[in-house]
Amino acid sequence: MNHHPIGIFDSGYGGLTVLRSIVEKLPAYDYIYLGDNARTPYGTRSFETVYHYTLECVQWLFAQGCPLIVLACNTASAKALRTIQQKDLPHIAPQNRVLGVIRPTTEKIGMFTKTKAVGILATKGTVLSDSYVIETSKFFPDTEVYQHACPMWVPLVENNEHSGPGADYFVQKDINELLSLSDKIDTILLACTHYPLLADKIRKYLPDGIQLISQGDIVADSLADYLQRHPEMGRRCSKNASLSFYTTDAPADFDAHAGIFFGRKVKSAHTSLALV
Ligand code: DGL
């Protein structure tokens, strides 16, 4: 059978918010989702560790037949993507491609702000990489980027505490800390694929006039555009409208949580990432 799915990767569940938008936009393709739940979170880990974990997952997705992979994780996109694209890909799979979520987002983010001041909420790893500041300055040199790391948000989401009262404390605190950096901020980007689950709570603490942006639709539009500009890649990706889900941790746990992120029930299988 012609099965060459598009691989969607995240450290855990967050990438499912991106996959959801991608499947809505491009329903004909086959997709395989890999969540590295056994080693999540990535956001607090070193460059070397995130790179090593991400490369292992990319190689596994290639071994499943994926010609194209989207790193639906800002932390992996910030810390591992460039090295994988430049150093590893030419050796391990020169015909294949790995895309991230930061570039498509920074190509658009300046269009949302009128005051030319954007706030970024992300993991510590993404913030420390400065990727959003560097990339935004390429596309929108007159837009200021203010960043704030929210180290408690991924654990709240991964532990299904995002709607509980504990989340209110951290959401309010982090929003206030971000907004204290500049009174010009009129746009806040959720630069972590886990954060859309906290969107209702975040809106509760946002002053009027500040808009909240999630990445799912931006990344989906960008992937559609990429496939249009690279028809040879579009042809290599198979189109049977299938979806499969893999986790490096327990499938029962994954299935119990994944639906909240993906918007419908998910049935996953376990992988140890062995390349056999
Ligand atoms: N979902 C990942 C991101 O977009 C981060 C989660 C983690 O820390 O593992 O950055």
Side-chain angles (χ1 to χ4, degrees):
M1 177 178 153
N2 174 24
H3 191 60
H4 295 290
I6 297 177
I8 309 288
F9 165 72
D10 183 55
S11 60
Y13 302 108
L16 290 164
T17 62
V18 175
L19 177 64
R20 183 179 180 167
S21 297
I22 291 177
V23 172
E24 263 168 37
K25 177 96 196 170
L26 299 163
Y29 288 93
D30 295 318
Y31 297 96
I32 178 167
Y33 183 88
L34 173 61
D36 193 6
N37 298 78
R39 302 187 291 194
T40 201
Y42 279 18
T44 45
R45 298 190 194 277
S46 69
F47 269 82
E48 289 68 27
T49 303
V50 172
Y51 163 64
H52 171 74
Y53 287 176
T54 306
L55 179 60
E56 221 180 333
C57 291
V58 161
Q59 286 183 293
W60 184 83
L61 284 166
F62 283 157
Q64 309 315 302
C66 299
L68 178 63
I69 295 171
V70 178
L71 302 184
C73 174
N74 287 274
T75 311
S77 299
K79 293 185 160 190
L81 178 64
R82 188 172 293 245
T83 313
I84 290 174
Q85 283 174 334
Q86 295 179 354
K87 185 176 138 283
D88 300 299
L89 214 50
H91 303 290
I92 59 175
Q95 311 299 327
N96 292 354
R97 291 291 170 264
V98 183
L99 309 175
V101 289
I102 296 180
R103 175 145 186 171
T105 310
T106 51
E107 274 176 3
K108 298 270 167 66
I109 192 69
M111 298 172 189
F112 293 97
T113 172
K114 291 194 177 69
T115 58
K116 310 228 176 293
V118 174
I120 305 278
L121 294 168
T123 65
K124 193 170 141 225
T126 299
V127 167
L128 288 179
S129 76
D130 260 347
S131 301
Y132 273 95
V133 177
I134 296 165
E135 291 295 316
T136 302
S137 73
K138 291 183 191 159
F139 302 109
F140 301 98
D142 55 350
T143 294
E144 291 292 335
V145 171
Y146 299 91
Q147 311 186 85
H148 179 68
C150 311
M152 290 305 291
W153 289 18
V154 168
L156 282 167
V157 171
E158 291 271 331
N159 290 294
N160 212 8
E161 285 292 339
H162 53 280
S163 334
D168 283 90
Y169 172 80
F170 288 105
V171 166
Q172 188 172 22
K173 172 177 170 289
D174 287 314
I175 294 281
N176 289 343
E177 284 176 10
L178 173 68
L179 293 178
S180 73
L181 300 176
S182 165
D183 55 12
K184 276 177 62 198
I185 296 171
D186 70 346
T187 302
I188 292 183
L189 170 73
L190 300 182
C192 170
T193 52
H194 282 65
Y195 294 176
L197 269 84
L198 288 159
D200 287 345
K201 272 213 195 304
I202 298 168
R203 278 196 198 95
K204 201 166 127 188
Y205 295 108
L206 275 189
D208 288 343
I210 300 190
Q211 60 181 329
L212 193 63
I213 311 285
S214 299
Q215 290 177 300
D217 291 343
I218 297 176
V219 174
D221 286 347
S222 161
L223 180 62
D225 181 55
Y226 177 88
L227 289 165
Q228 208 153 33
R229 285 184 292 109
H230 297 86
E232 72 296 343
M233 181 55 84
R235 280 191 294 276
R236 285 179 63 204
C237 298
S238 55
K239 296 183 191 71
N240 307 294
S242 75
L243 277 171
S244 46
F245 298 87
Y246 287 85
T247 173
T248 54
D249 209 348
D253 289 345
F254 187 88
D255 298 354
H257 286 90
I260 314 169
F261 294 80
F262 192 54
R264 54 181 145 128
K265 256 180 137 21
V266 157
K267 180 106 194 74
S268 67
H270 176 260
T271 173
S272 63
L273 300 177
L275 299 179
V276 281

